[in-house]
Amino acid sequence: MRAVVYSEVGVRPTVVEVADPVCPDDGVVVEVAATGVCRSDWHAWRGHDPVTLPIIPGHEFSGTIVAVGGQVAGWQVGDRVTAPFVLGCGRCEFCAAGDAQVCPDQLQPGFTLPGSFAQQVVVPRAQANLVRLPDTVSFVAAASLGCRFATSFRAVVSHGGVQPGQWVAVHGCGGVGLSAVMIAKAFGAKVVAVDRSAQTLTAAGRLGADELINATEISDIATEVVHRTGGGAHIGVDAIGHPAVAAASVSSLRRRGRHVQVGLLLGDAAQTALPMDRVIAEELSILGSHGMPAVDYPVMLDLLVSGALRPELLVTQRVGLDRAGAAMAAMDAPTGPGMVIIEPAQTG
């Protein structure tokens, strides 16, 4: 099959012919219809999140089952599926509790396994991790859920506990941030969107953001968010992954507010300082959001079927495998709003 591969950190991935994947007894092989280009893929390619090389990147995917392992029940060739980027073991205490996204024995396509920038991808542990797609949910919409949208959904809904009328401050409006804007608005919240790009802020406004803050024009983001929200955000989301952004999000919360860290803080940035005096005095909550388990997907998919959530609106570019390497390398610089989706069947 054709697949995108890189063998050295920072060297442009290329399309090569590799052996067709072998279906494991506990898994399935999925013919990839669509797969997202995520900043997490870029972090691994740039060496910020080390992986064993060579590797096929990609972890946000959807497609059709083309092979089923002997230990897998309830799935068959032709089923339309997706899967979380964290594949839990299905046996440990965390998986048993419905928290496969923090399974200590997790596998991840594109990081610990060959990924989905290919014509086919293997999903082991299929019984615990496959998600059936409703017929009305397109493959492009399903691929856009994989990491950014699902992680934002868990951040805003599960961790943030968003309620109608509450203020959600979204710091950074790339794919993760725009997803958070759409989700918060679908649940009746008010949104203040913060970014350095006027183009990206315009996209957030089109999705319903009530207040737009251009970080290039405001020196004290936290104070501005408090002012715009009449006392601070109930929920703050760092959708970029930067120490200053995380600190601003915490500082812009109202009392008993919740900060959710979605953007990756890697290397030296992982040991970042937060205003813990305020965390204690105002009983603020600091939470992380690392994907979403398969058992939680049905609630989100129901909202897609109803039309309350339309993640396909976040997709701004659809390319073939030959342009996947360039799409990932483009993340070296600030990118425009929205997501890039790879369709392996597409030429060019």
Side-chain angles (χ1 to χ4, degrees):
M1 68 173 183
R2 299 178 78 233
V4 176
V5 176
Y6 63 92
S7 300
E8 297 180 51
V9 169
V11 174
R12 180 74 65 88
T14 57
V15 179
V16 299
E17 293 284 336
V18 301
D20 290 342
V22 176
C23 185
D25 286 342
D26 70 341
V28 301
V29 177
V30 174
E31 182 177 333
V32 179
T35 181
V37 182
C38 179
R39 187 160 290 276
S40 298
D41 299 311
W42 175 83
H43 277 298
W45 173 60
R46 278 300 182 193
H48 308 151
D49 190 7
V51 297
T52 300
L53 301 177
I55 196 166
I56 302 170
H59 58 285
E60 302 179 313
F61 62 90
S62 63
T64 305
I65 294 176
V66 293
V68 180
Q71 298 175 6
V72 178
W75 299 94
Q76 61 186 5
V77 171
D79 285 345
R80 302 172 73 251
V81 297
T82 186
F85 74 89
V86 173
L87 305 177
C89 70
R91 301 182 302 273
C92 69
E93 62 177 294
F94 303 100
C95 288
D99 291 321
Q101 78 283 352
V102 293
C103 173
D105 188 30
Q106 64 187 250
L107 299 174
Q108 296 184 15
F111 300 98
T112 65
L113 300 172
S116 54
F117 286 14
Q119 291 177 305
Q120 296 183 349
V121 65
V122 170
V123 182
R125 302 169 171 180
Q127 211 71 58
N129 294 289
L130 274 184
V131 176
R132 193 179 304 277
L133 291 178
D135 291 340
T136 56
V137 174
S138 72
F139 286 128
V140 168
S144 69
L145 298 176
C147 173
R148 289 163 285 192
F149 199 93
T151 301
S152 291
F153 189 91
R154 186 171 174 83
V156 174
V157 179
S158 301
H159 291 315
V162 64
Q163 297 294 321
Q166 290 185 334
W167 277 102
V168 179
V170 178
H171 299 262
C173 294
V176 172
L178 291 178
S179 298
V181 172
M182 177 183 289
I183 293 160
K185 293 304 298 182
F187 279 80
K190 294 176 287 187
V191 174
V192 52
V194 184
D195 202 277
R196 300 180 62 84
S197 163
Q199 181 186 15
T200 301
L201 288 172
T202 298
R206 286 198 298 266
L207 292 174
D210 302 89
E211 296 285 341
L212 306 175
I213 298 177
N214 191 321
T216 65
E217 301 171 355
I218 303 294
S219 59
D220 188 341
I221 298 299
T223 297
E224 186 68 15
V225 170
V226 171
H227 170 69
R228 299 277 190 104
T229 58
H234 298 84
I235 304 163
V237 178
D238 174 2
I240 299 176
H242 189 282
V245 174
S249 176
V250 174
S251 296
S252 65
L253 295 174
R254 67 180 61 208
R255 293 172 183 269
R256 306 218 73 226
R258 286 89 63 198
H259 165 76
V260 190
Q261 188 66 39
V262 178
L264 295 177
L265 290 164
L266 301 170
D268 293 340
Q271 307 300 320
T272 189
L274 297 174
M276 296 306 292
D277 54 342
R278 289 197 58 191
V279 170
I280 295 169
E282 299 176 11
E283 292 194 350
L284 307 179
S285 297
I286 310 295
L287 302 155
S289 188
H290 185 246
M292 191 166 77
V295 294
D296 287 352
Y297 267 65
V299 172
M300 180 173 63
L301 288 171
D302 284 347
L303 291 169
L304 267 70
V305 171
S306 73
L309 293 175
R310 299 181 63 194
E312 68 276 9
L313 295 179
L314 304 177
V315 176
T316 53
Q317 193 176 7
R318 294 160 68 167
V319 302
L321 286 174
D322 292 329
R323 293 172 61 191
M328 197 157 68
M331 290 184 171
D332 283 343
T335 56
M339 303 180 184
V340 177
I341 295 290
I342 300 166
E343 295 173 297
Q346 183 183 144
T347 58

